[in-house]
Amino acid sequence: MSFFSFLKSLFSRKKKPIETIACPFCLRENLKEAKQCVGCKREIAENYKRHYAREKLMAIPIIGFSQTGKTVFVDSVACTLFDLTDKQFWKDLNITPIDSETESWIEGDILPSRARGQAPLPNGKEDNFRRVLLAKNIPLWKDRILCLRDVAGEHFQTFTFASEVQEFCIQSKCAIFIIDVNDVLNNPTRRFDTLFDKYVRTIVEAKAQLAGRKIVMVLAKADLYRNRLPQDLIDYLDNDPLYRIPQSAKSPYQINLSDPAALSHHAKVTLPMIDSQLATWVGSLENGGPQLNSKAKSEGVEIRYTLVSGWGSNPDQGADVKPLRMLDPLTWLLEFHSREG
């Protein structure tokens, strides 16, 4: 090799790419060796770094007004994941809290409160917490880092989302909206499309791309408005395949969660069918139901509806805790994330 060729090869040698990591709280990019985020200044746990991979991270803001059930939703998602580790469901599934804050929540709040049949404490604006769970060996979807950020309802009282939560919502291409149907129908200051309008404005004002984003629209507290639902949706709600509730052996909604083929059919056939029924039902309601569907379509945002009850009934009245259909929003998230990957 000539001296000229040697110099050419030396200077044309590709530089090793700089490794970065997304902060699980605000999603800003940091050098992988960073001890705390350059943006929000929160500590980045070493355990998070060890398991981090961009294709595994599912960072999801939980968006909803105060008292709509966001905290109960996050609580029930965690308990559903732990319940799925039972040998009759996903026996190879492993769920691990990835930082100390999440571990304290699981061991000191979620498991004890659920065992007592009590609701979790409401989230205040000053908390604005996030939960980070490592889920390994999920059937069909493999490994994911699930980062759920419970955004306090007070952040949605302005024209756009408050600055403290904007970056996370902008960087997350998928979000969960929690809608309290009874509140919307009975409160003259509430509409189905209000939060969606604020979400759109937040993204547009930041000059970020809106089209192609995805929203899982969770119709929460379904046990409180059963009498408003079509009978087929009531049957679907009641025939949850995971929890302790009288179930019809002939129900088409009963599935064997340990069977990958049955699980795939549920994700790709049953859930889209239920979404279509719920979209039609919401479109028949007052206070912004039809407008929500039409606005999402015109903005290029994909909305998928799910029907859940985080407690199944009111534990304050002595009823047992029986969460219903909490696996459905999680399934939509996994499906959306798989498409992006």
Side-chain angles (χ1 to χ4, degrees):
M1 178 185 292
S2 67
F3 182 68
F4 176 76
S5 299
F6 170 75
L7 289 177
K8 184 178 180 181
S9 65
L10 183 65
F11 288 104
S12 63
R13 190 174 298 167
K14 291 184 179 179
K15 294 183 179 179
K16 183 179 180 180
I18 299 174
E19 289 190 276
T20 61
I21 188 169
C23 169
F25 192 81
C26 70
L27 298 185
R28 287 178 174 86
E29 291 293 329
N30 291 265
L31 295 177
K32 198 163 186 179
E33 61 268 21
K35 299 295 183 182
Q36 65 178 24
C37 176
V38 295
C40 65
K41 307 302 181 185
R42 290 186 175 243
E43 179 185 358
I44 302 177
E46 291 298 322
N47 199 40
Y48 172 72
K49 297 178 187 178
R50 186 165 72 93
H51 293 287
Y52 177 83
R54 189 168 302 280
E55 65 272 12
K56 293 181 183 178
L57 181 63
M58 291 173 51
I60 310 297
I62 313 298
I63 297 172
F65 288 114
S66 298
Q67 306 301 316
T68 56
K70 298 188 304 298
T71 305
V72 171
F73 175 83
V74 176
D75 165 75
S76 294
V77 165
C79 285
T80 295
L81 285 170
F82 281 110
D83 289 342
L84 280 166
T85 62
D86 187 279
K87 62 181 179 181
Q88 65 175 313
F89 300 124
W90 297 349
K91 61 182 178 64
D92 295 325
L93 177 66
N94 286 310
I95 303 298
T96 308
I98 217 164
D99 60 16
S100 60
E101 182 180 328
T102 304
E103 182 179 59
S104 297
W105 169 64
I106 292 292
E107 295 182 356
D109 182 13
I110 298 308
L111 298 181
S113 66
R114 184 71 77 160
R116 295 190 301 265
Q118 297 175 348
L121 295 173
N123 176 22
K125 184 177 181 180
E126 69 280 5
D127 295 328
N128 198 19
F129 58 76
R130 54 92 170 91
R131 311 304 187 193
V132 190
L133 294 165
L134 174 65
K136 300 191 72 172
N137 304 319
I138 309 173
L140 303 184
W141 299 287
K142 300 181 180 178
D143 301 348
R144 293 292 189 274
I145 298 174
L146 184 62
C147 180
L148 298 174
R149 184 166 176 183
D150 181 357
V151 183
E154 291 83 353
H155 289 299
F156 310 128
Q157 293 178 351
T158 51
F159 183 72
T160 59
F161 293 173
S163 58
E164 299 97 307
V165 300
Q166 281 187 10
E167 189 67 19
F168 190 89
C169 294
I170 291 167
Q171 294 300 326
S172 302
K173 299 301 186 291
C174 182
I176 283 181
F177 280 44
I178 307 291
I179 302 293
D180 183 341
V181 174
N182 269 347
D183 186 41
V184 173
L185 296 179
N186 298 322
N187 186 339
T189 67
R190 291 279 190 262
R191 288 176 57 89
F192 282 104
D193 56 347
T194 300
L195 272 179
F196 181 79
D197 289 345
K198 292 177 181 289
Y199 177 78
V200 169
R201 291 195 293 263
T202 299
I203 304 302
V204 171
E205 290 296 323
K207 298 183 179 180
Q209 182 175 337
L210 179 63
R213 290 175 181 264
K214 301 169 177 62
I215 294 173
V216 180
M217 197 70 65
V218 177
L219 306 181
K221 306 180 184 179
D223 57 289
L224 300 181
Y225 50 87
R226 292 171 60 92
N227 61 327
R228 293 180 178 268
L229 292 167
Q231 185 60 48
D232 192 47
L233 289 175
I234 294 175
D235 292 342
Y236 180 76
L237 180 69
D238 286 346
N239 279 279
D240 185 286
L242 190 61
Y243 289 107
R244 312 167 302 280
I245 193 163
Q247 299 168 345
S248 169
K250 297 181 180 180
S251 171
Y253 303 126
Q254 281 299 301
I255 62 169
N256 180 1
L257 292 175
S258 65
D259 180 359
L263 184 60
S264 178
H265 184 272
H266 176 72
K268 300 183 183 304
V269 178
T270 303
L271 282 187
M273 179 185 69
I274 296 299
D275 160 65
S276 178
Q277 293 181 29
L278 286 170
T280 299
W281 180 66
V282 170
S284 71
L285 300 175
E286 299 176 351
N287 298 350
Q291 289 77 14
L292 173 59
N293 291 331
S294 62
K295 287 177 181 178
K297 184 176 181 180
S298 65
E299 298 288 3
V301 177
E302 182 177 353
I303 284 183
R304 296 294 187 175
Y305 288 94
T306 63
L307 185 70
V308 309
S309 174
W311 290 95
S313 55
N314 189 347
D316 293 336
Q317 298 177 358
D320 292 335
V321 175
K322 298 176 181 177
L324 299 176
R325 291 296 172 187
M326 295 305 303
L327 180 58
D328 290 358
L330 184 61
T331 300
W332 274 120
L333 293 178
L334 289 163
E335 281 290 290
F336 283 153
H337 192 256
S338 297
R339 289 188 212 169
E340 292 179 0

